[in-house]
Amino acid sequence: MKNLVILGGGYGGMRILHRLLPNELPNDVQVTLVDRIPYHCLKTEYYALAAGTISDTHVRVSFPEHDRLNLLYGEVTNINLEDKTVEFQDREPLSYDDLIIGLGCEDKYHGVPGAQEYTYSIQTIDNSRDTYQKLNNLPAGSTVSIVGAGLSGVELASELHESRVDLNIKLFDRGKHILSMFPERLSKYVESWFLEHNIELINNACITKVEENVLYNHDEGIASDAIVWTAGIQPNKVVQALPAEKDAQGRVVLTNQHNIPENENVYVVGDCASLPHAPSAQLAEGQAEQIVQVLLKRWNNEEPPSEFPPIKLKGVLGSLGKKHGFGLLADRPLMGRVPRLLKSGILWMYKNHRG
């Protein structure tokens, strides 16, 4: 019996499971899913969990069930490509015939002294729970500084304002306008929303140091009762240590079939893969669809497609609290209630009609 091992039950791993199960998995293949926790998490909603506007159960989705799906929980510490084994912190190594690495990302601190030690995170569900405890235990009038005004920082700031209107929220961004990946018109709309809701934007920021309860912007200390870091990501440390070619962002360079060159049994999906687009749930799912096609061909001793069409992304949607939002659909900017309703609908569909 061949063993397909999937490291990480994130968006890519879940899409692969739902495409193979229950009817596409060959009779001579079993699947072992490895994760730290016993459920899939909606990472795109961690900002709301940290802000306290949704419950923990809201971001959980059960893994599928199948008689040839084994669930294994543990912390991966190393991948041995030569021995074809996965090593763990507290259990024996696991052998694989095919391996899909979907271990996700972690915060990137850009060498800023004290950033890792003195800031909170929303990269994992455990991080988000800790951040929730800190933010929601703050007394009225406390100052929360959020570093990074990309999608995560903007959604966290707006949701936290909705949860704790009594807090002073500061949002720091290194650019001239927040949400630099969006058209300027859309960025200005979001900036106007923040101005209207008394959230302070600090543009052209340069965070030089972080100390306990002090954030330094251009070496000027700013007292903060809590500091949350949303200023960039990098691949999981296990992937960083993997002996494989990486791009400038540290992501693994892959063949057209999404496997490591000269190692056709090892695939990388999601945040750790070097792809033409920025990491996202959509991109991981699109890549997963293609990996399934490759696996089915190779298991059937057939040649997989030599190349795939580019993965098409439908757009990006972000929230500003529960009633307003913004986004890009087919390069068309959306602002106001419609993108927020669309995001809620897509989330509902994902949770209730997976696969």
Side-chain angles (χ1 to χ4, degrees):
M1 183 78 71
K2 294 178 182 177
N3 191 20
L4 167 64
V5 174
I6 303 175
L7 301 183
Y11 291 98
M14 281 289 276
R15 180 56 64 94
I16 289 168
L17 287 177
H18 283 297
R19 286 295 176 257
L20 291 176
L21 306 175
N23 300 318
E24 294 298 324
L25 189 66
N27 292 329
D28 63 343
V29 178
Q30 66 175 6
V31 181
T32 302
L33 173 66
V34 178
D35 206 293
R36 288 178 294 192
I37 51 179
Y39 39 78
H40 168 60
C41 292
L42 304 178
K43 187 175 181 179
T44 58
E45 302 304 298
Y46 282 171
Y47 72 92
L49 176 61
T53 56
I54 61 172
S55 69
D56 196 293
T57 56
H58 185 88
V59 300
R60 299 186 207 163
V61 176
S62 298
F63 291 133
E65 297 180 359
H66 191 272
D67 57 0
R68 280 182 285 128
L69 171 62
N70 306 305
L71 301 178
L72 184 64
Y73 306 116
E75 184 76 30
V76 177
T77 57
N78 184 54
I79 299 168
N80 191 322
L81 297 178
E82 289 188 6
D83 295 344
K84 299 184 73 170
T85 58
V86 178
E87 298 170 9
F88 298 90
Q89 187 172 339
D90 298 313
R91 64 169 63 241
E92 292 298 310
L94 172 68
S95 297
Y96 64 83
D97 295 287
D98 293 287
L99 178 68
I100 297 173
I101 303 170
L103 290 172
C105 61
E106 56 190 49
D107 289 297
K108 186 173 183 177
Y109 295 101
H110 308 284
V112 176
Q116 185 169 359
E117 294 80 4
Y118 298 114
T119 66
Y120 288 83
S121 168
I122 58 171
Q123 278 304 322
T124 69
I125 192 167
D126 286 341
N127 293 154
S128 302
R129 287 167 177 155
D130 291 342
T131 303
Y132 162 77
Q133 290 288 343
K134 178 63 177 180
L135 297 180
N136 287 277
N137 285 335
L138 291 172
S142 296
T143 296
V144 176
S145 294
I146 299 172
V147 181
L151 191 59
S152 295
V154 164
E155 290 191 308
L156 175 62
S158 59
E159 201 80 6
L160 183 60
H161 171 77
E162 189 156 297
S163 174
R164 294 287 309 272
V165 70
D166 56 293
L167 296 176
N168 300 313
I169 302 171
K170 299 177 183 288
L171 183 59
F172 294 80
D173 189 61
R174 64 183 180 180
K176 181 180 177 182
H177 292 287
I178 64 175
L179 295 170
S180 58
M181 75 291 290
F182 289 98
E184 187 172 321
R185 172 188 167 204
L186 194 149
S187 297
K188 288 183 175 180
Y189 166 77
V190 177
E191 289 176 345
S192 297
W193 189 94
F194 280 139
L195 182 64
E196 180 183 342
H197 291 82
N198 298 314
I199 297 172
E200 184 179 357
L201 292 177
I202 297 92
N203 297 111
N204 300 308
C206 179
I207 306 305
T208 51
K209 184 171 61 173
V210 183
E211 294 177 349
E212 188 172 6
N213 295 329
V214 184
L215 180 71
Y216 288 84
N217 180 32
H218 295 283
D219 294 323
E220 177 186 352
I222 298 168
S224 306
D225 297 286
I227 305 166
V228 185
W229 192 270
T230 63
I233 58 173
Q234 60 186 350
N236 177 281
K237 60 181 179 294
V238 174
V239 175
Q240 293 180 38
L242 201 65
E245 183 184 354
K246 316 284 177 48
D247 64 14
Q249 287 75 43
R251 301 183 180 105
V252 181
V253 175
L254 304 171
T255 69
N256 290 337
Q257 291 74 38
H258 305 292
N259 60 273
I260 295 176
E262 300 180 3
N263 201 327
E264 69 174 29
N265 300 108
V266 180
Y267 306 81
V268 183
V269 66
D271 297 346
C272 298
S274 180
L275 297 170
H277 303 284
S280 69
Q282 275 187 78
L283 187 61
E285 290 179 333
Q287 189 190 8
E289 297 277 358
Q290 296 180 358
I291 289 174
V292 168
Q293 294 182 50
V294 174
L295 285 171
L296 292 175
K297 287 288 187 181
R298 285 178 171 162
W299 285 336
N300 201 36
N301 295 316
E302 299 176 7
E303 281 295 317
S306 59
E307 59 182 35
F308 288 96
I311 298 172
K312 292 184 179 180
L313 304 182
K314 297 177 182 178
V316 181
L317 294 169
S319 66
L320 295 171
K322 291 291 184 285
K323 295 183 179 179
H324 297 273
F326 57 92
L328 276 179
L329 288 182
D331 295 326
R332 177 186 176 188
L334 297 177
M335 294 162 279
R337 293 182 179 271
V338 170
R340 188 65 183 90
L341 289 170
L342 285 173
K343 183 178 180 182
S344 296
I346 290 170
L347 179 64
W348 185 89
M349 288 288 291
Y350 183 87
K351 291 182 69 174
N352 294 281
H353 296 279
R354 297 183 305 281

